[in-house]
Amino acid sequence: MKPVLRFPVQRSIGYVVAVYAVVIVLVILWAAQLLGTVTGDNPGQTPALLILSLVFPAALLVISVFNFARVIAQRRAGVPGSRLRLRLIGTFALTVAVTALPLGILSGLFLKTAIGTWLAPGNGIALEAGERLAQDYHRQSLDRIGVLADSEYLSDVLADDTAEIDDIWAALRDVSPDLGAIQVLGLEGNMRMGDPDLFLSASELAEFPMEGPLPRKIRKGGTVISWQRLLGDRIVILSSRLSPQFESDARRISLALDEWRRYDRLQGTVGGSLALFGLYLSGPLVMMALLIGMALSERVIRPLITLGEATRKIAEGDFSFRVLAPREDELVFLTQSFNRMIRELEASRSKLVQTEHVAAWQVIAQRLAHELRNPLTPIKLSAQRIQRKALRGHLDNDMVSKAVELILREVDGLDKLLQDFREFAGGGPPKISTLSLRPILEETLDRFRTVNPSVEWILVDGSDDITVPADALQIRQVLVNILKNAMEAGSTRVTVRVDPVRRGTTPYVRLQIRDDGEGIEPDRVATVFQPYDSSRDRGSGLGLAVVQRILYDHRGRIWFESEPGSGTVFYVDLPIGEGT
């Protein structure tokens, strides 16, 4: 038993689901990357991820289109089951498209509505108002300490040399409660009052020797504004701390306003971008539906195709296999029934073959007895004639020589008849080895060129040298018998061609032996391969029967096409790489 047909274990669906998960992860990462680039949170981060997110779905698209094109090509070529497979794939794709496309459209509309709500003009106006309020607060705070710094009141308070520092600080705080610190630098010494965290270092003051506002500083998370004034040989610096959250709040307002303005400028392209994003999100779903449909349809159709191939092999007479399928397969009951049918057919065929063999050997025995009886009659008559002459004493050399020559000729004919019969009966199974065809073909044709040089013997090898598992002597006998028939048919040109072919899933090498001889009459087409069928007086009628028997032992086959008066083409198929 040779299990050559097997239902494959289907893992395609698991692979497709895994690929789909990868695609979805990449799409999500790509969307996050794209949004981060638009908002400026992650500008230009991991461009390789963006490229991969684009290339991978594109590759998935190419694979889907390629496989779908193959299914279409199979449908046009009339491959069994391709029509049903195409319908299943279309049903899967249409179902997912009807579900996924509205989902993508609704997602896009939802995002567009959300973005439109965030980009409402009122939000921009509110952000601009907040930014102006922060700027006004900063300017007013700076103006207040600037008015105090430029006032005569400050000059008078600092001019009183008898005043204590605490009194000076209290007097200034009464006028400007927002004042946080004061520094007085002069030749007679330095004076500091207020919060030490607001004092400016000498290096910071050296950078700005002119009067007026100084650049704001960030101290302990707070904003410090300062104003510098020159009073004679003294430098007076007034400092104030703004609201603790002023700097962070002002930055947030400014960044939010910048983002709003950027989105507002991109609002015209948001619709197209969202549509593209929805398509990019739903597109992989449709492609995955195509791939899943192909995988499932393959799983459904493949057992039916396998059974079709099995039926074809049965029609060719090959009963040596069983269709194998996993126990969990949905159609396992069908394969079991089919295998049971094959076993029953094989048993019936064996009985029929045995009966045919018995009948065939009966016919062969009758024909052989007839062929043996024909030469025995002249042998007997010649022997009796010699016997009568000897009894009468009238033997002469000429008569004896003629009688002995006739007896020897008929004995040679009997020997040739028995030799052909032995070749037809066979000498056991073929001795299989790896056989190269080209040397045998060239050697055999060279022999016939020597025997009959008037015939044009041509070898057309359309491929590299092909090897087959075969018995070299028996294959040579096949060639000799067919070529001998072509020569005896009066051919002037005999062409041998070698080509690799396939029958189903089995590779074969095909020999075409074409001659331009007398051809085969239509009434002999059905009996050409039968023993003792010959159109020639001296032919044994076993040549093609021997050829058919040898090819049957090699699991090959032979057939022919002939037109009387134009020639005959014999086709010989030998399996490649398959033992007999």
Side-chain angles (χ1 to χ4, degrees):
M1 182 186 304
K2 181 175 57 179
V4 297
L5 297 180
R6 182 187 302 271
F7 292 170
V9 178
Q10 296 295 337
R11 298 178 180 174
S12 303
I13 298 177
Y15 296 152
V16 169
V17 172
V19 172
Y20 174 71
V22 173
V23 172
I24 291 299
V25 170
L26 289 176
V27 169
I28 294 174
L29 295 177
W30 173 77
Q33 167 94 15
L34 182 61
L35 292 175
T37 302
V38 172
T39 59
D41 294 337
N42 293 312
Q45 182 183 7
T46 59
L49 176 61
L50 181 60
I51 296 175
L52 183 61
S53 301
L54 295 175
V55 170
F56 198 88
L60 181 63
L61 175 62
V62 172
I63 294 173
S64 301
V65 172
F66 174 75
N67 284 277
F68 188 71
R70 287 182 58 189
V71 176
I72 295 295
Q74 291 175 357
R75 175 69 183 92
R76 292 178 177 176
V79 175
S82 58
R83 183 176 180 181
L84 177 59
R85 188 180 182 191
L86 190 61
R87 288 184 176 181
L88 291 174
I89 295 172
T91 301
F92 272 97
L94 181 61
T95 301
V96 174
V98 169
T99 305
L101 290 180
L103 179 62
I105 293 174
L106 290 176
S107 300
L109 292 176
F110 175 77
L111 291 175
K112 185 176 181 180
T113 302
I115 294 175
T117 302
W118 191 80
L119 293 178
N123 294 339
I125 294 172
L127 290 173
E128 291 175 351
E131 187 179 47
R132 286 195 300 270
L133 287 175
Q135 292 172 353
D136 290 344
Y137 171 70
H138 178 272
R139 185 175 53 255
Q140 290 173 5
S141 299
L142 190 60
D143 288 344
R144 282 195 293 270
I145 64 172
V147 170
L148 178 60
D150 294 336
S151 66
E152 292 295 331
Y153 179 75
L154 177 63
S155 302
D156 294 340
V157 170
L158 295 178
D160 188 2
D161 295 334
T162 60
E164 298 289 339
I165 292 179
D166 292 339
D167 296 335
I168 296 174
W169 177 246
L172 293 176
R173 290 278 295 180
D174 289 340
V175 175
S176 179
D178 295 332
L179 185 62
I182 182 173
Q183 295 174 256
V184 180
L185 308 177
L187 298 176
E188 299 178 356
N190 300 333
M191 181 173 55
R192 296 181 178 184
M193 292 168 283
D195 188 352
D197 294 333
L198 306 185
F199 296 153
L200 302 180
S201 64
S203 60
E204 292 174 330
L205 295 174
E207 296 177 3
F208 302 97
M210 304 300 292
E211 289 186 318
L214 301 177
R216 70 176 185 270
K217 304 291 182 180
I218 306 299
R219 299 289 176 82
K220 294 186 178 181
T223 303
V224 178
I225 56 176
S226 302
W227 195 283
Q228 182 172 259
R229 181 184 176 185
L230 302 179
L231 287 176
D233 57 354
R234 293 186 297 179
I235 300 174
V236 180
I237 300 98
L238 301 181
S239 299
S240 177
R241 187 193 298 272
L242 299 182
S243 173
Q245 301 298 326
F246 171 78
E247 188 68 28
S248 59
D249 292 344
R251 181 176 295 275
R252 292 192 186 96
I253 293 174
S254 178
L255 291 176
L257 182 59
D258 290 341
E259 291 179 3
W260 185 91
R261 288 171 178 168
R262 182 164 52 251
Y263 291 153
D264 188 58
R265 289 192 298 269
L266 296 175
Q267 191 171 8
T269 61
V270 168
S273 300
L274 291 176
L276 179 62
F277 181 76
L279 179 63
Y280 199 77
L281 183 61
S282 58
L285 291 174
V286 178
M287 289 186 288
M288 300 308 295
L290 283 173
L291 294 177
I292 292 176
M294 293 176 193
L296 288 178
S297 63
E298 174 72 13
R299 185 167 187 172
V300 172
I301 297 300
R302 186 62 213 171
L304 302 179
I305 296 177
T306 304
L307 292 176
E309 294 177 356
T311 304
R312 179 182 57 78
K313 286 185 173 290
I314 291 176
E316 294 175 355
D318 186 1
F319 292 82
S320 61
F321 68 92
R322 296 293 180 267
V323 180
L324 302 181
R327 293 184 178 275
E328 65 273 10
D329 193 276
E330 293 80 0
L331 298 178
V332 64
F333 71 94
L334 185 60
T335 61
Q336 292 174 347
S337 300
F338 190 85
N339 290 334
R340 185 165 52 252
M341 181 193 70
I342 293 177
R343 288 193 295 270
E344 295 173 355
L345 286 176
E346 187 175 18
S348 300
R349 178 174 175 271
S350 299
K351 294 180 181 178
L352 180 61
V353 169
Q354 181 66 23
T355 302
E356 291 178 349
H357 281 175
V358 172
W361 279 109
Q362 289 176 346
V363 173
I364 291 173
Q366 293 175 359
R367 292 295 301 271
L368 182 61
H370 177 73
E371 294 295 334
L372 291 174
R373 185 180 182 84
N374 288 337
L376 288 177
T377 299
I379 291 174
K380 180 180 180 180
L381 291 176
S382 297
Q384 289 175 346
R385 184 179 179 186
I386 292 175
Q387 184 182 31
R388 284 195 304 270
K389 290 290 185 178
L391 291 175
R392 295 174 183 174
H394 297 297
L395 284 175
D396 59 84
N397 293 334
D398 184 58
M399 184 274 298
V400 172
S401 176
K402 290 181 179 180
V404 171
E405 182 179 353
L406 185 146
I407 292 174
L408 292 177
R409 184 170 60 249
E410 295 299 332
V411 169
D412 289 340
L414 287 175
D415 182 69
K416 177 64 169 58
L417 179 66
L418 294 175
Q419 177 68 24
D420 292 341
F421 181 77
R422 186 177 64 179
E423 291 179 358
F424 169 73
K431 298 177 181 179
I432 299 299
S433 62
T434 301
L435 179 64
S436 180
L437 285 180
R438 181 179 299 183
I440 289 184
L441 292 171
E442 293 176 348
E443 175 189 343
T444 306
L445 289 176
D446 287 341
R447 289 175 54 188
F448 277 89
R449 289 190 187 101
T450 303
V451 174
N452 194 342
S454 62
V455 179
E456 186 179 5
W457 305 93
I458 302 172
L459 173 60
V460 179
D461 195 348
S463 64
D464 296 334
D465 188 22
I466 300 177
T467 59
V468 295
D471 187 315
L473 293 178
Q474 293 188 3
I475 296 302
R476 185 178 287 106
Q477 184 66 45
V478 168
L479 295 173
V480 168
N481 289 3
I482 297 176
L483 294 175
K484 182 180 178 182
N485 279 357
M487 183 177 64
E488 294 176 350
S491 302
T492 60
R493 180 187 178 95
V494 179
T495 303
V496 180
R497 181 179 178 87
V498 184
D499 291 295
V501 296
R502 276 187 174 273
R503 286 165 48 198
T505 58
T506 305
Y508 284 81
V509 58
R510 175 167 295 171
L511 304 179
Q512 297 183 34
I513 304 175
R514 183 185 301 272
D515 65 59
D516 58 354
E518 61 187 18
I520 299 174
E521 297 297 330
D523 58 347
R524 294 188 57 241
V525 170
T527 62
V528 164
F529 295 106
Q530 292 183 4
Y532 301 107
D533 179 84
S534 177
S535 62
R536 301 178 182 85
D537 294 338
R538 302 298 299 175
S540 65
L542 291 175
L544 292 180
V546 171
V547 169
Q548 188 181 50
R549 193 267 306 165
I550 291 175
L551 293 176
Y552 178 81
D553 290 342
H554 284 76
R555 303 192 65 82
R557 66 170 184 165
I558 181 173
W559 74 100
F560 66 91
E561 297 173 356
S562 182
E563 184 175 349
S566 298
T568 304
V569 183
F570 276 91
Y571 298 92
V572 175
D573 280 0
L574 288 170
I576 299 176
E578 179 179 346
T580 58

